[in-house]
Amino acid sequence: MNGSDDRLPPRSRERRHFLLGMGAAAGGALAAPAALAATQANAQTQDRAGNAGTQHHVTDAPTGDASTEGRWPFYGDFQQGIITPRPAAGMIAAFDVIAKTPKDLEGLFRMLTERLAFLTQGGRPPDLDPKLPPADSGILGPVVAPDNLTATVSVGASLFDSRDWLKPLKPRHLQRMTRFRNDALDAGICHGDIAVQFCANRPDTNIHALRDVMKMMPDKLVLRWKQEGSVPVIPPRPDGRVESARNFLGFRDGSANPDAGDRALMQRILWIDGARGEPAWAERGTYQAIRIIRNFVERWDRTPLGEQERIMGRRKSSGAPFTGTTEFDAPHYAGDPHGTVTALDAHIRLANPRTTGSEKNLILRRPFNYSNGVTKSGQLEQGLLFICYQADLEAGFITVQRRLDGEPLEEYLKPIGGGYFFVLPGAREPGDYLGRTLVEAVRAGNASPT
Amino acid sequence: MRLKYLLAVTALMSTLGGTAYAQQNTTLDLVEPIAEYKIYVSEKLQQLVTDTKAFTDAIKAGNVDKAKSLFAPTRMSYEAIEPIAELFSDLDAAIDSRADDYENGEKNPEFPGFHRLEYGLWEKNSTDGLAPIADKLLADVTLLHQRITDMALPPEKVVGGAAALMEEVAATKISGEEDRYSHTDLWDFKGNFDGSEKIFILVRPLIEKNDPAFVKKVADNFNTVGTTLAKYKSGDGYQSYDKLTDDDRKVLASAVNTLAEDLATLRGKLGLN
Ligand code: HEM
């Protein structure tokens, strides 16, 4: 904002403008002064991020934030927490919904929106008579700091399937996640009527938000399962170089992720518009695939480095593809039809063969590493809380996963949970609420696709 | 009630001359509900002793089927007054602890009480070796009756009991782990809900005026629980916990969590610490 743009690599500059634009747009739509202040504070956070020159992929390693005052705008065309840079701590909480009527569902969405708008912007919960249980768990202190919290609300197929008045409005690709060949799904950590993805700088901020929602809405939401995860913080480098965080197999994860700062690209791979045969209410939404994928880390660590790299299709230390020198160099397969450089069944080559047509299968990945304890056999129970977003679940996650079925990496993986969800369109301004277009479509009895 | 309230206030105003009276008068107003609750508890304990005698007699006579049929109904009176029984933690552990409370679970010879008998009856389908455990249970239940009869019930424990019962259900019962061998959990639920609702009904007149929305919300949730449980009635009791559908389990879980949140404010609303 002060002419310092020249110092930034071009990509960061673009991204910064994009983010500032987003903040300004949200600010323009806001009426309440408090909310406006929140948006301005947020623009500063984004400016800071932009100046550090470290953010252009959602999956770039978080650089760490000493302040807990950073805010992302809650209101906007699209929900937050998707193209927002991924912070250090993430959580998925899946709920069953108690809602018999459209009115119940509206009440649920309104209340959830109100809580999340408060939690993501921060503030002071009311002081109550000390003879009563306090209004807030207090785990963040008397004032709730926003801490870059984002909350992203999505709905599962079961929400629609078990309610006749919602059935006709189900997004066309939304379905119950079924088993892929390497899966061993545990029903206790699968599916749900609603999922909320919480992301923040600190895990306690996510836990605080979850406890708030559970305390305020016990008559509407019953917790089904939750999984927390983390991403290692890498302090900003003096040379401004950006890196992707590593997952629990020790590889950089996110290097080839589509650029979330590229609006046209995001419109193409993420956001539902009128041209996708989806119900009109679903516009500005996107599909979310969640997979809890256990990693057999002991076995992986006993695998020769060369084999690890062959299986992934990248160098472990730098994250570079075999045809490049940095992790952000694109892999080239054109001169390598037999897989002598990059194996044909390498993870990245199967996941994205980079052939004509395969750009239709692009997904935006935003995963977290998880570590849950010890298995009965005394091995570490850890892995990847895989989360990805796409405008077409079939062409996106499902197609990519089918291509990965049978990959050599499978020997080190066991998908055990997760589900498919549809991320609701954003709430545009105070007074609007998440799920409004769906509730209105129910009321209008309007189930026909656009 | 209204007249009494006014009289109490006037009496207190004249003696206390001011500020603390609001709290004092609610405590005074609680005298009658608590006296009534004491009668309720006595009746339940009386019933518990009588039923436990019949249940343990059946075990000692080696009559597995009869003992099985008496297990769940006997427990209901205990479940209804559990927060009061828990004032005596030694007896509560002796009467109602679960295998998880002991290292090595069921194999631990110290595992006592109802659930040890339940384990023998259902898992082993036998009364072998159960007689001493049955004798001990009857003795403990009788002692509990005696101890509670001799004590004055602390108002905050009585009022707090309404929420405590819901916390029990929310934390470890909704999962069906309480009566894991017999799957008679719905009988226990019924006991817990009845006990909680009883307390609510007794103090309800004290809060209805100031907080009708709260009273209605709580009453509605007790109704939801009542109608959901009623679907599973069978004869004098309830069907096996396995029969509970996923949807009904969710409805119950949500009602229990909501009741736990709301009833947690009951003490404060009545000016109790
Ligand atoms: C625990 C399981 C997984 C691990 C450890 C893992 C690891 C990696 C790594 C290290 C990369 C290379 C760096 C990068 O571009 O991010 C990568 C790329 C990728 N992965 Fe995975 N991944 C896992 C699961 C999945 C799943 C379930 C999918 C989708 C079905 C997937 C899709 C992709 C895609 C699309 C790429 C980018 C390929 C490219 O564009 O070149 N991954 N993964």
Side-chain angles (χ1 to χ4, degrees):
Chain A
M1 292 226 254
N2 47 20
S4 62
D5 271 3
D6 298 347
R7 294 202 313 265
L8 299 173
R11 256 184 134 177
S12 304
R13 234 181 295 144
E14 257 165 50
R15 175 182 169 75
R16 193 186 125 188
H17 284 141
F18 159 70
L19 288 171
L20 288 174
M22 193 166 81
L30 294 173
L36 189 60
T39 314
Q40 282 160 353
N42 186 56
Q44 279 157 25
T45 312
Q46 288 162 345
D47 190 37
R48 219 173 40 238
N51 272 326
T54 53
Q55 309 273 359
H56 57 270
H57 287 159
V58 291
T59 33
D60 288 342
T63 50
D65 196 340
S67 156
T68 54
E69 285 308 307
R71 288 176 186 80
W72 293 106
F74 177 76
Y75 294 102
D77 282 350
F78 310 113
Q79 279 197 67
Q80 50 172 197
I82 298 170
I83 56 168
T84 315
R86 181 184 54 167
M91 177 200 283
I92 297 283
F95 299 89
D96 290 318
V97 156
I98 308 291
K100 289 204 198 75
T101 64
K103 187 160 172 275
D104 293 345
L105 189 66
E106 176 180 345
L108 182 156
F109 283 142
R110 280 187 183 275
M111 177 111 194
L112 186 57
T113 305
E114 185 191 302
R115 291 322 301 164
L116 300 179
F118 168 73
L119 291 163
T120 57
Q121 302 308 304
R124 193 184 173 92
D127 290 319
L128 302 182
D129 181 338
K131 287 200 185 68
L132 292 173
D136 185 85
S137 66
I139 63 174
L140 299 181
V143 175
V144 173
D147 198 28
N148 277 344
L149 175 71
T150 60
T152 313
V153 178
S154 55
V155 291
S158 55
L159 181 75
F160 298 85
D161 294 343
S162 57
R163 289 168 185 83
D164 283 335
W165 43 274
L166 270 180
K167 252 185 213 161
L169 289 163
K170 187 162 78 166
R172 60 189 276 237
H173 300 298
L174 189 59
Q175 54 194 283
R176 190 182 160 90
M177 183 175 79
T178 50
R179 182 177 175 274
F180 292 89
R181 45 174 277 179
N182 189 38
D183 292 7
L185 299 176
D186 169 353
I189 46 173
C190 286
H191 320 302
D193 292 338
I194 280 193
V196 185
Q197 173 196 264
F198 293 107
C199 304
N201 292 342
R202 290 156 185 76
D204 308 65
T205 306
N206 293 333
I207 291 169
H208 173 266
L210 173 65
R211 280 172 57 173
D212 182 279
V213 167
M214 288 175 67
K215 182 176 176 62
M216 297 297 175
M217 307 182 61
D219 52 334
K220 301 179 174 69
L221 295 174
V222 179
L223 185 65
R224 190 180 166 91
W225 56 270
K226 89 159 188 347
Q227 178 64 58
E228 288 173 71
S230 60
V231 179
V233 167
I234 303 180
R237 302 172 63 110
D239 62 0
R241 231 176 66 213
V242 173
E243 1 180 40
S244 300
R246 291 177 192 273
N247 59 31
F248 280 160
L249 298 187
F251 277 75
R252 295 183 191 273
D253 196 340
S255 318
N257 231 354
D259 182 356
D262 182 337
R263 270 192 154 168
L265 182 64
M266 292 302 105
Q267 189 58 50
R268 186 163 71 72
I269 71 169
L270 282 187
W271 307 121
I272 306 291
D273 55 25
R276 296 183 187 268
E278 294 285 359
W281 74 263
E283 281 174 32
R284 299 180 286 117
T286 186
Y287 288 92
Q288 179 188 49
I290 301 170
R291 303 271 285 170
I292 302 175
I293 307 176
R294 213 192 129 195
N295 293 172
F296 300 123
V297 294
E298 291 88 349
R299 183 168 181 191
W300 181 253
D301 291 346
R302 294 190 279 256
T303 301
L305 178 61
E307 192 176 336
Q308 292 186 5
E309 293 183 333
R310 255 193 320 277
I311 289 173
M312 280 301 175
R314 284 177 178 266
R315 298 270 173 231
K316 193 170 186 179
S317 163
S318 62
F322 299 132
T323 56
T325 51
T326 84
E327 61 165 317
F328 297 115
D329 291 335
H332 295 293
Y333 309 131
D336 180 26
H338 305 294
T340 35
V341 181
T342 307
L344 297 178
D345 57 5
H347 179 70
I348 64 163
R349 193 160 180 177
L350 286 174
N352 183 5
R354 297 173 187 261
T355 49
T356 24
S358 70
E359 75 281 355
K360 291 216 159 43
N361 313 117
L362 284 178
I363 57 181
L364 184 73
R365 290 169 291 137
R366 210 169 173 280
F368 293 89
N369 302 332
Y370 80 82
S371 181
N372 281 354
V374 180
T375 69
K376 283 204 185 92
S377 323
Q379 292 201 315
L380 292 168
E381 163 66 65
Q382 50 182 231
L384 195 66
L385 172 58
F386 177 92
I387 305 167
C388 77
Y389 296 94
Q390 59 265 288
D392 181 337
L393 182 67
E394 278 294 340
F397 174 78
I398 293 176
T399 300
V400 176
Q401 181 56 59
R402 284 208 190 107
R403 280 204 302 250
L404 290 173
D405 279 355
E407 62 172 331
L409 182 60
E410 261 182 7
E411 264 190 71
Y412 304 89
L413 307 181
K414 192 48 80 180
I416 53 175
Y420 299 149
F421 296 88
F422 185 81
V423 178
L424 298 169
R428 284 186 152 133
E429 70 226 348
D432 192 5
Y433 62 94
L434 298 169
R436 175 183 53 80
T437 55
L438 174 58
V439 171
E440 285 174 359
V442 171
R443 295 248 158 80
N446 170 13
S448 57
T450 41
Chain B
M1 212 24 129
R2 185 73 198 147
L3 183 64
K4 234 177 69 193
Y5 171 82
L6 282 175
L7 287 174
V9 171
T10 328
L12 277 160
M13 294 263 286
S14 56
T15 50
L16 297 171
T19 51
Y21 82 90
Q23 182 179 336
Q24 289 293 332
N25 87 60
T26 33
T27 318
L28 207 70
D29 277 354
L30 275 170
V31 169
E32 193 179 304
I34 293 205
E36 255 187 78
Y37 185 66
K38 176 105 201 225
I39 297 170
Y40 174 80
V41 171
S42 298
E43 284 170 2
K44 291 285 170 196
L45 284 168
Q46 193 68 60
Q47 188 72 48
L48 177 66
V49 173
T50 312
D51 291 349
T52 307
K53 175 90 173 58
F55 172 56
T56 51
D57 281 351
I59 288 178
K60 289 165 71 180
N63 192 338
V64 173
D65 288 342
K66 183 162 183 206
K68 279 184 176 174
S69 74
L70 294 177
F71 171 75
T74 301
R75 289 178 52 73
M76 277 177 85
S77 355
Y78 185 81
E79 291 295 321
I81 55 145
E82 203 169 355
I84 299 302
E86 280 171 358
L87 294 175
F88 303 100
S89 58
D90 58 331
L91 289 180
D92 182 47
I95 294 168
D96 199 33
S97 57
R98 305 177 188 176
D100 324 276
D101 299 332
Y102 303 88
E103 206 175 325
N104 300 326
E106 287 92 356
K107 290 194 210 89
N108 193 317
E110 281 172 33
F111 174 35
F114 272 117
H115 295 301
R116 174 66 185 86
L117 297 173
E118 179 196 10
Y119 172 70
L121 290 172
W122 269 271
E123 292 293 297
K124 306 272 182 226
N125 204 28
S126 148
T127 56
D128 283 358
L130 297 185
I133 300 162
D135 280 338
K136 176 74 166 45
L137 177 67
L138 183 58
D140 288 334
V141 161
T142 311
L143 184 57
L144 180 71
H145 182 25
Q146 236 169 53
R147 283 204 205 158
I148 293 179
T149 309
D150 293 345
M151 84 183 273
L153 297 183
E156 68 282 358
K157 291 287 177 200
V158 172
V159 175
L165 280 160
M166 294 302 96
E167 296 293 0
E168 286 271 334
V169 180
T172 56
K173 290 195 174 157
I174 199 77
S175 54
E177 64 196 273
E178 171 91 6
D179 301 316
R180 69 190 65 167
Y181 319 109
S182 63
H183 306 296
T184 54
D185 304 82
L186 293 182
W187 298 67
D188 282 28
F189 277 28
K190 177 71 176 150
N192 292 149
F193 284 114
D194 283 355
S196 178
E197 191 171 15
K198 178 72 186 181
I199 298 166
F200 171 67
I201 289 170
L202 287 174
V203 300
R204 179 179 169 146
L206 305 180
I207 37 179
E208 194 135 41
K209 272 252 152 50
N210 288 331
D211 216 339
F214 170 81
V215 166
K216 178 171 182 325
K217 187 174 169 216
V218 173
D220 284 353
N221 273 309
F222 275 123
N223 271 338
T224 303
V225 169
T227 45
T228 310
L229 281 182
K231 293 201 225 168
Y232 297 92
K233 269 211 85 100
S234 155
D236 288 338
Y238 289 89
Q239 295 173 28
S240 164
Y241 191 74
D242 320 332
K243 296 280 185 308
L244 189 68
T245 63
D246 234 19
D247 279 347
D248 283 333
R249 192 189 49 75
K250 285 175 213 164
V251 168
L252 281 179
S254 163
V256 170
N257 291 339
T258 311
L259 283 167
E261 284 289 342
D262 287 340
L263 293 173
T265 66
L266 211 51
R267 273 190 312 172
K269 284 188 196 298
L270 291 166
L272 294 167
N273 275 311

